[in-house]
Amino acid sequence: QVQLVESGGGLVQPGGSLGLSCAAPRSIFSVYAMGWYRQAPGKQRELVAVFTSGGNINYADSVKGRFTISRDNAKNTVYLQMNSLKSEDTAVYYCNARRITFGTLNNYWGQGTQVTVSS
């Protein structure tokens, strides 16, 4: 069973910053597209930031200019730095690893970490 181990998250005031990290097995990290999603109460899970299989980075429009996704290949870890946080960023954030092989989607999720933006 693939484990994506997340850390970070917590409570932060509006305008503050927070960082998340996600460690993956090397066999996954080296070939899967890694990224972050989030799910707010009563809403569907949505993409936040991902590395595509082609090596590009995609951000949700709502986080562009505020969030930065990065990776450390030596540590098999992907990060999400979140700045200028807003109350609407409050959600459970999930690390994701996905790969399509011969038309089959292989999709793994972390356990989720709560981010709460509130004064």
Side-chain angles (χ1 to χ4, degrees):
Q1 184 173 353
V2 174
Q3 281 192 317
L4 305 179
V5 181
E6 302 168 6
S7 60
L11 174 64
V12 63
Q13 291 186 343
S17 298
L18 212 55
L20 306 179
S21 63
C22 171
R26 183 175 181 82
S27 60
I28 296 296
F29 190 84
S30 60
V31 296
Y32 279 60
M34 302 294 298
W36 292 93
Y37 289 71
R38 67 186 181 187
Q39 187 166 17
K43 294 186 177 181
Q44 289 189 332
R45 193 170 297 187
E46 63 176 4
L47 179 149
V48 176
V50 294
F51 287 98
T52 68
S53 58
N56 297 314
I57 296 176
N58 289 337
Y59 290 100
D61 288 342
S62 59
V63 307
K64 284 181 180 177
R66 300 187 299 121
F67 290 14
T68 302
I69 188 172
S70 62
R71 60 192 293 156
D72 186 333
N73 293 334
K75 295 182 178 179
N76 301 320
T77 299
V78 62
Y79 304 94
L80 185 68
Q81 178 63 37
M82 303 179 289
N83 299 327
S84 302
L85 282 160
K86 306 175 181 179
S87 57
E88 50 262 44
D89 294 318
T90 295
V92 178
Y93 283 70
Y94 295 92
C95 180
N96 174 260
R98 86 179 35 208
R99 183 186 186 195
I100 297 176
T101 307
F102 301 111
T104 299
L105 173 65
N106 295 292
N107 203 26
Y108 301 106
W109 296 97
Q111 78 278 11
T113 184
Q114 178 70 46
V115 172
T116 302
V117 184
S118 175
S119 55

